[in-house]
Amino acid sequence: MDLKIDGEPEKSSPLELLLKAIEQGDLPPGTRLRETDLASQLGISRTPVREALHRLHAMGLADHGVQRGLVVAQISYDQTRQLFAVREGLEGMATRLAAQHASRYEIDVMKQMVKNDQGVTDPAKLIETNKQLHRYIANASHNQYMIDALNNLRIHLSLLPASTYTLPERIKSAQAEHEEIVAAIAAGDGDAAEAAARRHIANGYRIRLKFTKF
């Protein structure tokens, strides 16, 4: 396992680098987190890596493996249920706030994001553009506490296996839902924006339960 590190390691803390690696899938669930190997790959001493691993464990992103040491956590059905319950609420509120506070420029960017996805069927590309759109909507809420909460939640969501975008029918429905969400934000309709966002997350959760094995 090789970590893909953008930029100089000293510009980010070991914890930030490990969180990024988990979110990007470079450290998938079940991966053994060997302190010595990670320190070598990051080009730092073992002490800050050890501290970062303790933090990951405290955050619920790492568990004790069968053998000695930590592994990237694997998510259970009950944890998935809890995550999506919280995500539905947070994404709904963030979208409502975006409808109230997004600038004209931010709205134009969202519209372009949705337009760029039309006709795209490559799951890998759509997974990335989906993350970008949801991050952009959160940022457009102009509420730092909301942004931080969703960023933390998405790291945990990255522990989920596969993606609903591997299903062609979900690609079409998700794109339509994104259009509805952005249209409500552009109209400044907080009620409609929140409702559309909640439906989007609830639909994704139902579809995920159909093909995820826990």
Side-chain angles (χ1 to χ4, degrees), residues 67-141:
Q67 299 178 341
R68 183 180 179 183
L70 294 173
V71 298
V72 178
Q74 294 178 301
I75 197 164
S76 68
Y77 168 81
D78 193 52
Q79 288 171 319
T80 301
R81 178 187 60 76
Q82 293 177 45
L83 273 174
F84 272 88
V86 173
R87 187 186 183 194
E88 183 179 328
L90 288 179
E91 294 274 9
M93 186 179 296
T95 307
R96 172 184 286 277
L97 291 173
Q100 296 170 353
H101 302 296
S103 68
R104 175 49 55 187
Y105 172 78
E106 288 172 324
I107 290 171
D108 288 342
V109 171
M110 289 181 225
K111 287 181 176 178
Q112 190 61 49
M113 285 179 165
V114 170
K115 184 177 180 180
N116 290 344
D117 271 354
Q118 292 176 355
V120 178
T121 58
D122 178 13
K125 183 175 181 180
L126 289 170
I127 289 168
E128 187 56 36
T129 56
N130 176 67
K131 289 179 181 179
Q132 291 172 359
L133 177 61
H134 280 274
R135 284 197 186 97
Y136 203 87
I137 291 173
N139 289 337
S141 74

Side-chain angles (χ1 to χ4, degrees), residues 5-95:
I5 303 169
D6 299 324
E8 295 299 322
E10 61 267 19
K11 293 182 180 179
S12 300
S13 70
L15 178 62
E16 290 171 334
L17 291 171
L18 291 176
L19 289 173
K20 183 177 181 180
I22 290 172
E23 186 174 13
Q24 292 180 335
D26 297 328
L27 289 173
T31 300
R32 188 173 178 185
L33 298 168
R34 296 181 175 85
E35 186 180 301
T36 303
D37 292 347
L38 292 171
S40 175
Q41 292 177 49
L42 296 175
I44 58 178
S45 68
R46 293 173 59 179
T47 299
V49 172
R50 186 180 306 119
E51 293 172 353
L53 292 178
H54 286 319
R55 288 286 303 280
L56 286 181
H57 182 256
M59 294 168 69
L61 293 168
D63 290 329
H64 289 289
V66 177
Q67 299 178 341
R68 183 180 179 183
L70 294 173
V71 298
V72 178
Q74 294 178 301
I75 197 164
S76 68
Y77 168 81
D78 193 52
Q79 288 171 319
T80 301
R81 178 187 60 76
Q82 293 177 45
L83 273 174
F84 272 88
V86 173
R87 187 186 183 194
E88 183 179 328
L90 288 179
E91 294 274 9
M93 186 179 296
T95 307

